[in-house]
Amino acid sequence: MSSGSGSGVSELLPTETWDLLKEDSDAVLVDVRSKPELGFVGMPDLSTLDHTMLCVEWASFPGMSANTTFVEEVLHELGGATPSVMLFLCRSGVRSIGAARAMTEAFTAEGKTVKCVSVAEGFEGDLDEQKHRGGLNGWKARGLPWVQS
């Protein structure tokens, strides 16, 4: 597990994230992308792992304004549970760092220890030479299970 570019948040590659989810039934994946991203681009399929995924926007489309109730929404979705590890996924691995940091701070304030990790490369990954995502790296490009609505 590497530390995310000076953010104070650790990162895992998508394949490492998948492996952790396979091994740790208590781990929770939170997709922080906007609702349109989830619908048009797709999302991880965790059905073979018997995991559920939380979907809570870090920023809302179209203006990508910050979701000021993000922490409260995630805590509500957890229903009082305190997972050992929370993994945060976005498009390219940028928003997920902020989300992981915010949740780390929230759990620390409650006196709880939860490892909050950003999924490096995100779901679609970096832009390639043609300025397209989804083929260079990221969840999809690494061949991990995903679905599209």
Side-chain angles (χ1 to χ4, degrees), residues 34-76:
S34 67
K35 288 180 178 76
E37 286 175 289
L38 296 173
F40 294 125
V41 179
M43 65 179 69
D45 180 4
L46 307 182
S47 61
T48 62
L49 301 180
D50 200 29
H51 270 278
T52 56
M53 183 174 65
L54 304 182
C55 297
V56 180
E57 292 181 322
W58 177 250
S60 301
F61 186 81
M64 298 313 282
S65 55
N67 178 0
T68 58
T69 61
F70 175 80
V71 169
E72 291 80 10
E73 289 179 43
V74 171
L75 293 173
H76 175 76

Side-chain angles (χ1 to χ4, degrees), residues 3-148:
S3 179
S5 57
S7 68
V9 170
S10 61
E11 293 183 303
L12 287 176
L13 292 171
T15 51
E16 294 170 323
T17 299
W18 180 260
D19 290 343
L20 190 145
L21 288 165
K22 279 196 303 192
E23 296 166 8
D24 187 347
S25 62
D26 188 48
V28 174
L29 179 64
V30 182
D31 197 319
V32 303
R33 293 175 295 149
S34 67
K35 288 180 178 76
E37 286 175 289
L38 296 173
F40 294 125
V41 179
M43 65 179 69
D45 180 4
L46 307 182
S47 61
T48 62
L49 301 180
D50 200 29
H51 270 278
T52 56
M53 183 174 65
L54 304 182
C55 297
V56 180
E57 292 181 322
W58 177 250
S60 301
F61 186 81
M64 298 313 282
S65 55
N67 178 0
T68 58
T69 61
F70 175 80
V71 169
E72 291 80 10
E73 289 179 43
V74 171
L75 293 173
H76 175 76
E77 289 292 320
L78 289 172
T82 305
S84 57
V85 180
M86 292 191 75
L87 304 146
F88 296 86
L89 177 75
C90 66
R91 178 181 66 187
S92 62
V94 175
R95 285 174 281 174
S96 56
I97 291 172
R101 186 180 301 122
M103 290 309 301
T104 297
E105 291 171 5
F107 285 122
T108 300
E110 291 183 359
K112 297 177 180 177
T113 302
V114 177
K115 186 179 289 187
C116 295
V117 180
S118 173
V119 180
E121 303 175 355
F123 187 73
E124 292 182 81
D126 297 318
L127 291 169
D128 63 17
E129 291 178 7
Q130 291 79 39
K131 306 268 190 240
H132 298 147
R133 293 186 193 274
L136 188 61
N137 56 23
W139 188 280
K140 287 172 76 172
R142 297 210 182 266
L144 296 169
W146 64 281
V147 294
Q148 192 163 13

